[in-house]
Structure formats: C-alpha cells, structure tokens
Amino acid sequence: MGRWLSTWPSRPGDEALPALLCLPPAGAGCQQFRAWTPALAGIGQVYGVQLPGRENRWREPMPQTFGEAVEAIADELRPVVADGRPLVVFGHSFGGLLGYEVARRVRPAALVVSACRAPGHWDGAGRGIVEDDDELDKLFDTAGLDPSFLDEDTRALMVAMLRKDAVLSLSYTHSPGIALSVPVHTWRATGDDTVSEEDLAGWAAVTTGAFHVHRVRGGHHAVLRRPEALLEHLAGLLRHAAVAPAGTT
C-alpha cells in the first residue's frame, strides 16, 4: 500500500470485497483497526488511514494544512475503489472530520462518524489541546488513561501527536458547497462532554441522503473501546453496499 493507507487482507480475494476506510482520532495511528479484520472477514476489506508522525510514519513531517492531508488520502484511495468498488467511510473524532472531507472527493456508499462535531461546528476546535495541558489530561481521561500512570517518554509522544493533529484541525474551514447525497450515520456516547447533541444534529445538513443517529454509553472513545455494536452496523452497511447502487445504503 501507499504511505497514507494501510490494509490487512485476511484471505485471497479480499480486494473484490467492499472497502471500509477507517480514520483514527487525533494523536492515534491506524493499527488499531487491524483488529477489526477478523470481524469483517468475507464482508469487507479494512483500510486504515495513517497520518505522519506516528507508528510506521513517526519520522515523517505533518502536512502543512488539513486540505493537504485530505487530498493525499483521496489520491491514494481512488485506485482502491476504481471500477465501482463499493466504499464505506468511517471516522472517529478528528478522523470523522477527515472522513467527511474525503467522502466529498471520493464518493462512498455511506459515511459513518463517531464522537465528532458536525463540520460547521469545528470553528476553533482543538485550540484548547494546543494551549492547555489540563485539556490534554481531559482527553486522556476520556480514553480511560490516567496521565499519572504514563511514563514520561510515552506521555511526551502522545502529547506531541495530539498537539500536531490539533494544530492541523485549526487549519480547517468548512465550505458547505454541494451537499453529499449518501446516507450519514452518526454515533455518540452519552457521557461524551466534547460532542453535544447540537454538534451531532448538525451532520443532517451535510447530506441530502438519509441521516441516522446511534447512541451508546460511555465517554468520548466508548465506540472504539467497545466496538461490537459499531462493527455489526458497519458489516450491515458493507453487505448492503455490495449489492446496492452507491448512495442507497
């Protein structure tokens, strides 16, 4: 694969299955999505988006702007879904915003976002992470991580990645333009203080297709920490995408 996309095929012929593009939250790498491959075996092929500065790309510099990252991801994705291969896009938190902009460039059968404010609600989002160590600690807490239990080097690496992604998010300006025409599915944990019901409802404005809301219990990263319900939902979308025209999921 290329620099921005990773995949973990589980059997020959996976490239003929619908593609599931997964975009991680700020500060995280995409290797976490490798664990989803067995659950979706024979249903879809999982692809993870890897931004620079982490995991196998930790030595590489970050893109200068949000738009630069989106264009790079879209350029690598187009050959993957050439010849009408169905695509479902999933993004969590900051990854949801990236996923939305990728979906505007490479049309999926459906867009799924979790723990993510609607694009029009991202003004200034991430500024607190850049400027305030207490905000960083809160973000660790939502992931179930106590900063006091992290060794100094590990915490420094996590802080650096989070801040770099937060800076990247500050370069984002939403330009509504032409709305998506595909279904949009949003997920929110009831204990997530970073994404309000209003932030969630704003996603309805980005598409002329169907809009769905799903809720689970827990904090900001609950959907990723206990992904069983999400994986069942994604499997259904991938199955439908395999037999339905794009945009009817």
Side-chain angles (χ1 to χ4, degrees):
M1 292 305 300
R3 293 168 57 213
W4 292 80
L5 301 186
S6 297
T7 189
W8 312 275
S10 60
R11 62 183 71 183
D14 276 1
E15 65 277 0
L17 298 171
L20 173 65
L21 184 73
C22 300
L23 299 100
C30 71
Q31 287 298 317
Q32 61 187 298
F33 298 118
R34 183 173 190 165
W36 290 11
T37 299
L40 298 172
I43 301 170
Q45 185 174 1
V46 179
Y47 290 80
V49 171
Q50 190 78 297
L51 269 66
R54 67 217 70 204
E55 295 179 348
N56 62 312
R57 300 190 68 190
W58 72 274
R59 290 181 179 271
E60 298 180 42
M62 290 289 287
Q64 294 297 308
T65 65
F66 185 95
E68 182 183 332
V70 170
E71 294 296 342
I73 296 165
D75 284 347
E76 281 196 17
L77 180 62
R78 289 186 181 98
V80 172
V81 296
D83 302 321
R85 185 185 188 187
L87 169 69
V88 173
V89 174
F90 165 76
H92 181 79
S93 193
F94 176 56
L97 187 67
L98 281 169
Y100 161 69
E101 289 294 342
V102 170
R104 300 178 80 180
R105 292 157 175 80
V106 183
R107 188 172 186 260
L111 171 64
V112 184
V113 297
S114 63
C116 184
R117 302 177 184 182
H121 294 226
W122 267 84
D123 183 32
R127 193 173 304 281
I129 298 173
V130 175
E131 299 173 351
D132 189 341
D133 284 343
D134 289 339
E135 289 298 315
L136 275 168
D137 287 346
K138 287 178 184 177
L139 196 56
F140 284 128
D141 288 343
T142 63
L145 296 172
D146 184 339
S148 65
F149 288 107
L150 298 175
D151 66 77
E152 187 174 342
D153 289 342
T154 300
R155 189 182 191 284
L157 286 172
M158 294 181 71
V159 166
M161 285 191 294
L162 280 167
R163 283 206 163 112
K164 286 177 181 178
D165 286 353
V167 169
L168 194 64
S169 76
L170 292 175
S171 71
Y172 177 74
T173 301
H174 181 47
S175 301
I178 298 173
L180 298 174
S181 59
V182 302
V184 173
H185 297 259
T186 60
W187 286 69
R188 178 179 181 267
T190 54
D192 185 358
D193 293 333
T194 69
V195 180
S196 69
E197 288 293 327
E198 182 181 1
D199 292 332
L200 201 70
W203 281 101
V206 309
T207 185
T208 59
F211 174 65
H212 306 274
V213 177
H214 309 261
R215 293 180 178 83
V216 296
R217 294 182 179 179
H220 184 65
H221 294 299
V223 173
L224 292 186
R225 293 178 68 195
R226 295 180 294 277
E228 292 80 11
L230 173 66
L231 286 170
E232 184 177 352
H233 176 226
L234 291 172
L237 293 177
L238 290 164
R239 289 190 183 98
H240 190 72
V243 299
T248 62
T249 305

